[in-house]
Amino acid sequence: MANHTLLLLSQDNAEYQALLKQAYLPGLTILAPESEPEIQAALAKADILLGEPARLRARLPQAKALKWAQSTYAGVDILLNADCRQDYQLTNIKGIFGPLVSEYVFAHLLSLTRHLRHYKAQQRLHNWQPIPYESIRGKTMLIMGTGSIGQHIAHTAKHFGMTVLGVSRSGREAAGFDNTYQLPALNNVLPRADVVVSVLPSTPQTRGLFNAARLDHFKPGALFFNVGRGDAVDEGALIQALRHGNIGAAVLDVFASEPLPTASPLWDMPNVVITPHNSGYSFPEQIVTRFSRNYLKYTSGKTMEGLVDFNLGY
């Protein structure tokens, strides 16, 4: 078997190095240099990179021997710009975030529908005051994106007795969904949804998708979750829709600019929940398991898992 050199470009380099050594991958040399001269020397000979997309992007021009890069994230849009190299194989992490993102969505959905924040405030005041609520059973959830994450959310929604609709590029049937539609049908489907969850990647078709005109089609008082990409939403239009009650509440894990600027009105809105892009965390153990499988496929010339199509954008 030919020898290969892996350069780690992650915020969790030490953890990845330890886990990869335990994986005993044949013919693999693992480099995790810390100084800039050592990183430059490693870039000249590493045919494999592993790391977060932004760190990979910064090093692409110097990666002279690059054949394959493994992203530690599912979203790799920063590596898909026309000005970025595309003469190598890029794999992302798909299929491991579904359970985590599903937990996130339902933690916040139940918190909102059962008024948990209000009860916490009342508890501090020693105030015994029931607040009316409705069950999520029988409600309709629309999930934008019907891949592995969308399907996990859909299965959880079915467990709670919800009707689940999906919108995707192809509109193909997907596990857990009662009905799926293509993007052009979105305006007709939106008024039926009590809860809208976007898990969309960043592509030319999804950027700015939720603009002012689109938000007008939401069912009044609907709950909106964005756990996909921030650039799918016109934040100014969303702020207006939240202020006027057309959208009841928003749970936002992703933003057009991250970290969310401190001056953003979203921070202080009572019907907005903000989290720091952590609904689905990349656990090194899971990523090393995926990388190890892909390495064995890479060295034997087989198609790797999570291979990104540079033209499609995911």
Side-chain angles (χ1 to χ4, degrees), residues 10-290:
S10 168
Q11 60 197 11
D12 302 312
N13 268 5
E15 201 170 347
Y16 280 115
Q17 190 169 26
L19 289 165
L20 285 160
K21 280 181 178 170
Q22 292 165 17
Y24 300 113
L25 296 170
L28 184 64
T29 302
I30 303 159
L31 304 176
E34 293 183 11
S35 73
E36 187 59 30
E38 289 175 316
I39 293 171
Q40 289 297 333
L43 282 164
K45 57 188 176 187
D47 58 324
I48 308 171
L49 303 178
L50 181 149
E52 294 84 41
R55 289 169 187 251
L56 294 175
R57 183 186 166 111
R59 299 298 185 177
L60 280 180
Q62 296 91 39
K64 302 296 181 209
L66 178 64
K67 295 284 188 291
W68 164 37
Q70 172 71 63
S71 164
T72 60
Y73 292 177
V76 290
D77 34 288
I78 198 170
L79 295 169
L80 303 179
N81 297 346
D83 60 347
C84 253
R85 290 173 64 167
Q86 300 186 352
D87 59 344
Y88 64 100
Q89 293 190 89
L90 173 62
T91 52
N92 66 359
I93 295 295
K94 281 183 183 167
I96 69 171
F97 297 112
L100 295 170
V101 177
S102 183
E103 287 172 14
Y104 173 95
V105 168
F106 281 88
H108 289 287
L109 178 56
L110 292 167
S111 175
L112 286 168
T113 56
R114 290 302 187 105
H115 309 299
L116 299 193
R117 283 208 289 184
H118 294 283
Y119 285 121
K120 192 66 188 165
Q122 287 184 183
Q123 183 179 340
R124 281 197 297 272
L125 299 169
H126 301 197
N127 181 12
W128 179 283
Q129 185 67 43
I131 305 167
Y133 65 88
E134 292 181 12
S135 174
I136 61 172
R137 183 175 186 82
K139 300 290 188 187
T140 297
M141 176 178 281
L142 170 62
I143 302 172
M144 306 292 301
T146 60
S148 63
I149 294 175
Q151 287 173 31
H152 256 99
I153 298 168
H155 283 299
T156 309
K158 295 305 289 179
H159 169 78
F160 280 103
M162 302 182 82
T163 299
V164 189
L165 311 177
V167 169
S168 67
R169 196 175 56 85
S170 68
R172 277 197 296 271
E173 285 184 29
F177 290 86
D178 292 299
N179 291 101
T180 49
Y181 305 88
Q182 288 182 292
L183 214 43
L186 180 55
N187 286 355
N188 294 326
V189 182
L190 273 172
R192 295 161 55 188
D194 301 290
V195 183
V196 179
V197 181
S198 175
V199 292
L200 293 170
S202 178
T203 70
Q205 292 75 40
T206 62
R207 283 178 207 122
L209 183 69
F210 290 102
N211 55 19
R214 185 87 58 196
L215 296 175
D216 279 344
H217 290 277
F218 272 63
K219 186 178 193 174
L223 305 181
F224 178 62
F225 288 72
N226 192 5
V227 289
R229 279 292 174 267
D231 62 10
V233 179
D234 176 337
E235 285 176 9
L238 178 62
I239 288 164
Q240 289 306 311
L242 285 159
R243 279 182 175 148
H244 297 131
N246 193 36
I247 293 179
V251 177
L252 307 172
D253 189 48
V254 290
F255 303 89
S257 176
E258 295 180 4
L260 180 66
T262 53
S264 171
L266 289 167
W267 285 108
D268 297 308
M269 298 185 77
N271 54 348
V272 173
V273 176
I274 289 169
T275 56
H277 199 153
N278 67 345
S279 62
Y281 175 67
S282 302
F283 291 104
E285 296 88 351
Q286 292 175 301
I287 289 163
V288 166
T289 300
R290 172 66 61 86

